[in-house]
Amino acid sequence: MTITIITGEISMGLVSVLGIGTFIGGSVLSYFLFYLLLNKKKETIIKEAELEAEVIKKDKILQAKEKFLQLKSEYDKNVNERNSKIVQAENRIKQKELDLSRKFEETQRTKKEVDVIRENLSVQMDVVEKKHDELERVHRQHLEQLEAISGMTADEAKGQLVESLKAEAKTEAMSFINDTVEEAKMTANKEAKRIVVQTIQRVATEVAVENSVTVFHIESDEIKGRIIGREGRNIRALEAATGVEIIVDDTPEAIILSAFDPVRREIARLAIHQLVTDGRIHPARIEEVVAKVQKQVEEEVIEVGKRTSIDLGIHGLHPELVRLIGKMKYRSSYGQNLLQHSREVANLCSIMASELGLNPKMAKRAGLLHDIGKVPDDEPELPHAILGMKLAEKFKEKPEVCNAIGSHHDETEMTTLLAPIVQVCDAISGARPGARREVVEAYIKRLKDLEALALSYPGVTKTFAIQAGRELRVIVGSEKVSDKEAESLSNDIAQKIQSEMTYPGQVKITVIRETRAISFAK
């Protein structure tokens, strides 16, 4: 439609120009005009295309020139960098050549100096060899003259000299040893006392007073009747379940629990407390509460053992040993709480081992476990030290710790330095008056009775009760008592003490018979 309109405009223009009045042959003219229009349009398009091509050509040429300049600059830059590197490499090579030439000159100069020194040394060596030969000759002449004068060969003279030097050295060594031993004797006691005193001063633990009875306080005497029960059935059930004698007397607001075993007393006390608090007291309930309290006490024993080992910084103990340590809380040894005693011995051992340059941790471990044989589950017929050593060996403790436990009462031989430390610290904690619950008058009377008993035997000259009465030393006259009689005397005294006296633990009787030969130089 657009083409037709344009063609009409062009044809109207042509008609007006030509002045033609009529339009003849419309179809042929239309085709002709359309052809002219296409040619004109073609020329216009070709011109526009040529113009655009020229513009694109110029743009491409400009872009090509810019790309060329960019590449040229990069190439020039790379070339300059390579040239600079080449120049630097050449400079380094020249410098190395200069260094090599200088070193070569120095080497040549040094070589010349070495050649000169070597020539001088060869000359000097020749002189030294000549002098050495001359000295050998003079030495041989002197030896021949000395052998001729002394009448002995050189080997004989050397032997005689060596023997004299040996005798002189031996004399001096013996003198030095004697002086050293005397000095050690003078200072050993002083140093030992200093260590023991410092150890005692640095440790202070509370002393627990243990009894064979426990007093249970109640709010009113009405509760006594409920504890006794109808016809005494409740109190009989309590005694049967706990193994504790329950004493209900006229003491106001108090019930007495009597038993030698502190664990049983504690179980009975806790069970009665729960029963009184709950209010239901009858045989079935009593058995149930006692069973429950027994489990609680067992758990508390384990907790006490763990807390004790943690407080002392002792790790890696077998769980069974931890439980036995907890049982010590409910065990007393002649009035002294066993756990407090073991803690005190452990601290004493640690301090004393540190003073002596030994392992304080192992000493503390041995001190804590030294009385573990006093709280076994089966109570075999063995001394507690031996039993404790066997328990420690069973639960994989170190040999040093086991030996210290077994020898702290001299039941076995001491094989390490740890053993006497444990023995001494045990004596410090338990053997001094006042550490254990015994009045001083009774303590002194018992020791005097021990000495008087042994002194009553014929042939006994002196007696000494030591270690708080744990050991009795008896000195007899050698002219009145023979060796066999001394052994018999030891057994007789032990039997008499066992039958006539009351004492804690065991008493060791040592009979000493010595022979002295005395002469006077006038």
Side-chain angles (χ1 to χ4, degrees), residues 328-392:
M328 290 183 183
K329 178 182 178 182
Y330 301 103
R331 172 68 188 268
S332 61
S333 178
Y334 207 69
Q336 186 181 25
N337 183 269
L338 191 58
L339 181 59
Q340 292 295 334
H341 167 65
S342 298
R343 289 173 66 104
E344 184 178 18
V345 172
N347 289 322
L348 286 168
C349 289
S350 175
I351 296 170
M352 193 171 289
S354 299
E355 291 288 338
L356 296 174
L358 301 176
N359 188 345
K361 291 186 178 180
M362 190 174 294
K364 185 181 289 186
R365 196 183 192 97
L368 178 63
L369 298 176
H370 81 284
D371 272 346
I372 203 76
K374 289 185 178 180
V375 287
D377 295 326
D378 49 359
E379 298 286 347
E381 293 295 330
L382 285 174
H384 74 275
I386 300 297
L387 180 58
M389 179 179 70
K390 291 184 179 296
L391 287 172

Side-chain angles (χ1 to χ4, degrees), residues 36 53 156-157 159 232 255 287 325 368 392 438:
L36 291 176
E156 292 174 351
I255 294 175
E287 292 179 359
I325 291 170
L368 178 63
E438 186 176 22

